[in-house]
Amino acid sequence: MMFDSPSLHVRSAASVALSLALFLVLGTAAKTFSQSLPNPYRMVEGWAKLPEGRTMGAVGDLQMDPDGRHLWVILRCTETDPKRFGNECLDSGVDPIVQFDLQGNVVKSFGGGMFIWPHGLDVDREGNVWVTDAVASKKTPPGKRGHQVVKFSPEGKVLMTLGTPGEPGDDAAHLNSPSDVAVAANGDIFVADGHSFDAGNNRIVKYAKDGKFLKAWGKTGYAPGEFRMTHSIAIDSQGRVFVADRGNNRIQIFDAEGKFLAQWTQFGRPSGITFDRRGRIYVTDSESDTVQNPGWEMGIRIGDARTGWVDTFILYPWGDPREIEGTGAEFVAVDGDGNLYGGEPRPRRIQKYIRVRP
């Protein structure tokens, strides 16, 4: 027979209190640990040196050249101004596509007067430079600029254009504010078409090497294969297509034909994705805060591209982007020595991180 006694209630209450205290402590420790991974990098202040007279604008995407000795960067044409967001190059002839050497010196630039809001960039195996114009302005000059992807030779000659300049759309001949572009080893071209959470396109468009439209997949939504801002796209050594589905706080992974393979949420609120030759994945989180992705901190998360295991974290020191002028890098590139380069729009700088520990 069971007897109900006051002492039993006391012991039970004490046990519950102890369990709750342990849960809170261990839960806090687990959360702290997840944000406190090793950081083997140190920042290099003042790395990028612009020509006299040029002001640093918002920094967009950036990628290493195949030679491993040069970095291609999107530098928007004016200083960041909320009233000009989405059209910083509309009234400017300044070159937004800039090549740096590894010492931070400008080697060459081109593209002046050709873009409204250059955003995404890729460099293919032949050294050609691909740039998206993710214009958000309603002042788009019809038939001239905006809503397109342009392929340049390393010297700045236009080799190909995808989309219909100045005309947003969602069919085979049009794009709508394309965020990024990635070129596969066989020359196939993948465009992350859409720089909006809910309006416009939220899809991936695939073209053949010669620019022929092959297929598109995706729409606005929350399910696998649906997106809320396709902010970045990258292809790993296995040919898998990684998409930074920023509004849904996840990376979605597809095969080259658009078949959904997996989603990863362990990289925070992803803005940019890149890979190195050692099978490592680098993901920037420039927007996690107490509203958009509570419990996560902004920074660069690094891990194994095959398994998705995160083992390194570079914490941005800027804090909540709504309270302080700074969001850290939206895009990231890595050189042959393992050093990183972050494109930071709001602080308006290219931040270099030198690897100092294995």
Side-chain angles (χ1 to χ4, degrees):
M1 179 178 293
M2 294 292 293
F3 292 91
D4 192 6
S5 69
S7 61
L8 179 61
H9 284 298
V10 172
R11 288 195 299 271
S12 298
S15 298
V16 170
L18 178 59
S19 298
L20 179 60
L22 287 172
F23 173 79
L24 292 174
V25 171
L26 292 176
T28 300
K31 178 181 176 181
T32 301
F33 175 76
S34 69
Q35 303 291 305
S36 302
L37 294 166
N39 176 13
Y41 297 87
R42 68 172 177 84
M43 294 194 300
V44 179
E45 296 293 342
W47 175 79
K49 297 174 277 292
L50 295 181
E52 185 177 354
R54 175 154 187 180
T55 302
M56 178 72 78
V59 183
D61 203 353
L62 67 180
Q63 291 288 335
M64 291 301 302
D65 195 83
D67 67 10
R69 299 191 299 272
H70 296 90
L71 180 73
W72 287 99
V73 182
I74 289 175
L75 293 183
R76 298 191 187 119
C77 308
T78 63
E79 293 188 12
T80 300
D81 180 344
K83 295 181 180 180
R84 294 184 63 87
F85 179 80
N87 65 353
E88 284 105 311
C89 291
L90 177 62
D91 303 315
S92 174
V94 173
D95 290 342
I97 306 167
V98 183
Q99 187 188 55
F100 291 83
D101 62 23
L102 295 187
Q103 288 70 50
N105 302 303
V106 173
V107 177
K108 68 177 75 170
S109 65
F110 52 77
M114 296 183 62
F115 294 89
I116 297 174
W117 199 45
H119 190 276
L121 180 150
D122 194 29
V123 184
D124 64 27
R125 295 191 173 193
E126 298 174 350
N128 301 308
V129 182
W130 301 71
V131 179
T132 72
D133 197 342
V135 54
S137 173
K138 296 181 180 179
K139 301 178 181 179
T140 307
K144 295 181 180 181
R145 294 176 285 168
H147 306 294
Q148 63 178 331
V149 179
V150 182
K151 175 185 178 181
F152 295 94
S153 72
E155 291 73 37
K157 179 182 178 181
V158 176
L159 303 177
M160 183 188 299
T161 299
L162 303 175
T164 304
E167 296 183 12
D170 60 3
D171 56 22
H174 292 83
L175 299 167
N176 192 341
S177 300
S179 292
D180 200 12
V181 57
V183 182
N186 68 351
D188 286 346
I189 308 152
F190 295 83
V191 177
D193 186 26
H195 194 279
S196 172
F197 294 125
D198 302 306
N201 296 343
N202 265 306
R203 64 176 185 167
I204 304 302
V205 186
K206 180 180 179 180
Y207 302 88
K209 184 176 183 179
D210 61 0
K212 178 183 177 182
F213 174 88
L214 296 177
K215 63 168 53 181
W217 72 87
K219 62 180 181 179
T220 300
Y222 302 87
E226 298 176 354
F227 309 96
R228 295 187 66 245
M229 189 179 292
T230 55
H231 196 268
S232 179
I233 189 167
I235 302 171
D236 74 353
S237 61
Q238 301 177 46
R240 296 180 298 172
V241 179
F242 285 63
V243 181
D245 183 11
R246 188 162 80 177
N248 285 325
N249 298 329
R250 65 185 178 181
I251 293 171
Q252 293 198 60
I253 308 172
F254 305 88
D255 69 12
E257 298 305 314
K259 178 183 177 182
F260 175 81
L261 301 177
Q263 70 172 20
W264 289 352
T265 59
Q266 65 270 35
F267 287 91
R269 187 176 175 86
S271 285
I273 305 171
T274 197
F275 302 94
D276 66 17
R277 298 176 182 176
R278 299 171 295 173
R280 305 278 286 165
I281 181 173
Y282 302 77
V283 181
T284 59
D285 179 347
S286 63
E287 288 201 351
S288 280
D289 58 31
T290 56
V291 174
Q292 297 182 112
N293 195 24
W296 293 81
E297 294 176 299
M298 295 184 294
I300 302 174
R301 292 178 176 87
I302 306 168
D304 187 294
R306 183 179 61 86
T307 65
W309 185 265
V310 180
D311 55 31
T312 302
F313 179 52
I314 301 174
L315 175 68
Y316 296 150
W318 318 121
D320 191 322
R322 295 163 304 163
E323 300 174 358
I324 191 168
E325 184 67 15
T327 59
E330 278 201 7
F331 295 97
V332 62
V334 55
D335 66 24
D337 295 323
N339 303 314
L340 305 184
Y341 304 83
E344 302 185 355
R346 216 184 297 187
R348 301 190 296 276
R349 68 181 185 181
I350 306 167
Q351 183 61 66
K352 182 173 182 176
Y353 299 87
I354 291 181
R355 189 173 185 92
V356 294
R357 296 192 303 276

